[in-house]
Every structure is written in C-alpha cells, then in structure tokens.
Amino acid sequence: MPKSYLTRKEKIIINAIDILDQGGINGLTMKEIANQQGITEPAVYRQFKNKQEIVLTILGRFSAFDKALENAIYQHAYAPDQAIVYLMESHITYYQNYPQVITVLFSFDVYRYDPEALALMEMIMKQRHHLMTKLVMQGVDQGLFNSEQEPSDYAEMLLGQMESTMYRWKLDDCRKDVKQILMKRVHWMLKKMK
C-alpha cells in the first residue's frame, strides 16, 4: 500500500474543500469531516479548533498561492503583458485542475456570517486587484498599453473576466476547457489595451 505523504491537517483541508463543494458551509461540520476521513471527531479537533479555523486556513492558502505567483513574476522579470498572461494562466490552470476551489471563492454564505473570513477574502481580492493594476500601470509606463482607461479599470476587466468565466464554467459542470476559453479572452483584451 503506497504511503501518503500528506499530513492529517492537509487531508482535512482537502476534504473540507470537497465538502464545501458538495454541501456548502452548512454541510461542512467536524462530524462530516471525521466521517469522510474515517477518524474520530476529537482527531479533527486536535488539528483545528473549529470550522472557522478550517475556512480561514483554506483562505490563507489562496493568499499564499497569490503571493507565490507575484514572487515568480518578479523573479522571472516578466514584461507587464507577459506577467498578466502568466498570472491569469496560473490561476485558471489551478482552478481547472481543482474546480472544487471555485466553490470556496463563490461561497458567499461563508463570508456573510463570518466577519473574519469576509475580511480575509476582501484582502485577497484587493491584493489581486492591486497586483493587476500595478502590472497594467507598468505596461502603460512602458508604452505597451494605451492610457484610454484607468489602469484599475483594466485590472477590473481582466479579473472580472476570469471570475465570470470560472463561475459560468462551474455552473456548466466544468464541461469545457476553461483555460482555453479564458486565455483566448485575455489575449483579446490585451490586444485591445495596446
């Protein structure tokens, strides 16, 4: 039998994302996690004190992923247009490979009743918008993009396109190649920005 290299905590996080995808925030209980993991509830509580801590950990992973992408952009010294393509392609590849995560992003009931989760999600979205705006501004400064729109408007259009495409893809039961769809739109938008 192959040995699993995931820690119990990692397994719980992955399982929690799957449960959120299947049953929403009301379906995510410590008991359900324990049942699906084949462990006792106290074993789950040894890893996380409550459901909120699990949700905050999941959101923390989104933030860490975004930070890793930002670091990669600067390490590779991408031109602004290349950085935007890299950023969008990396996000959509992740979501295409793990569509359950999209449900977490759009689980508004998670954020409505948990001010800490709401604040963390707002921070994640603001950081994404800030990075995209910064890349667009660099592109304008370098003459890659026109200045017909505010850089923050371009950033909003690009990120909005990604979110809208992911949302509709998930509603369509993930049947098409969402990466191909989104990247075609991103390249078209970048062309229009020049």
Side-chain angles (χ1 to χ4, degrees):
M1 181 173 183
K3 184 177 177 178
S4 173
Y5 292 100
L6 294 175
T7 65
R8 172 155 293 160
K9 200 167 200 164
E10 291 293 322
K11 289 176 184 176
I12 289 171
I13 290 296
I14 292 167
N15 191 235
I17 293 169
D18 290 339
I19 293 169
L20 277 168
D21 185 48
Q22 297 161 9
I25 192 66
N26 292 330
L28 180 64
T29 64
M30 301 303 246
K31 182 177 183 173
E32 183 60 22
I33 291 169
N35 286 341
Q36 289 199 17
Q37 291 286 306
I39 58 178
T40 64
E41 277 186 74
V44 178
Y45 280 106
R46 279 193 287 280
Q47 302 299 319
F48 298 97
K49 65 181 178 186
N50 55 32
K51 176 167 69 171
Q52 180 193 31
E53 186 179 0
I54 293 172
V55 170
L56 293 174
T57 301
I58 292 167
L59 295 178
R61 302 283 169 92
F62 290 159
S63 183
F65 178 69
D66 287 358
K67 192 66 179 164
L69 292 179
E70 183 175 2
N71 290 339
I73 286 169
Y74 295 119
Q75 285 176 350
H76 289 96
Y78 289 128
D81 55 344
Q82 294 171 325
I84 291 169
V85 168
Y86 171 79
L87 192 61
M88 299 293 273
E89 195 166 33
S90 296
H91 273 289
I92 205 64
T93 298
Y94 177 64
Y95 297 128
Q96 182 167 296
N97 290 335
Y98 198 20
Q100 297 88 331
V101 174
I102 296 171
T103 301
V104 177
L105 289 173
F106 292 109
S107 291
F108 299 110
D109 56 337
V110 169
Y111 313 117
R112 181 180 311 147
Y113 304 111
D114 185 342
E116 199 173 346
L118 176 62
L120 185 51
M121 180 50 84
E122 286 176 338
M123 182 201 69
I124 290 166
M125 300 310 276
K126 283 178 186 175
Q127 287 176 339
R128 286 181 180 182
H129 190 270
H130 175 75
L131 175 59
M132 188 65 76
T133 300
K134 189 172 160 182
L135 293 172
V136 173
M137 283 173 42
Q138 290 171 356
V140 170
D141 291 345
Q142 294 175 20
L144 294 171
F145 304 135
N146 66 55
S147 58
E148 291 175 15
Q149 295 286 329
E150 289 293 320
S152 63
D153 292 338
Y154 281 135
E156 192 66 39
M157 286 187 282
L158 287 160
L159 291 170
Q161 185 57 239
M162 180 174 69
E163 292 162 8
S164 171
T165 301
M166 286 187 319
Y167 186 79
R168 284 185 279 124
W169 178 69
K170 185 73 169 146
L171 286 176
D172 193 34
D173 206 23
C174 310
R175 285 190 266 248
K176 298 177 184 172
D177 184 344
V178 71
K179 182 177 175 181
Q180 180 183 1
I181 293 166
L182 178 67
M183 294 317 296
K184 180 179 176 185
R185 292 173 180 168
V186 167
H187 287 291
W188 178 84
M189 290 173 80
L190 290 173
K191 205 178 290 185
K192 295 294 181 185
M193 290 166 58
K194 293 189 178 198

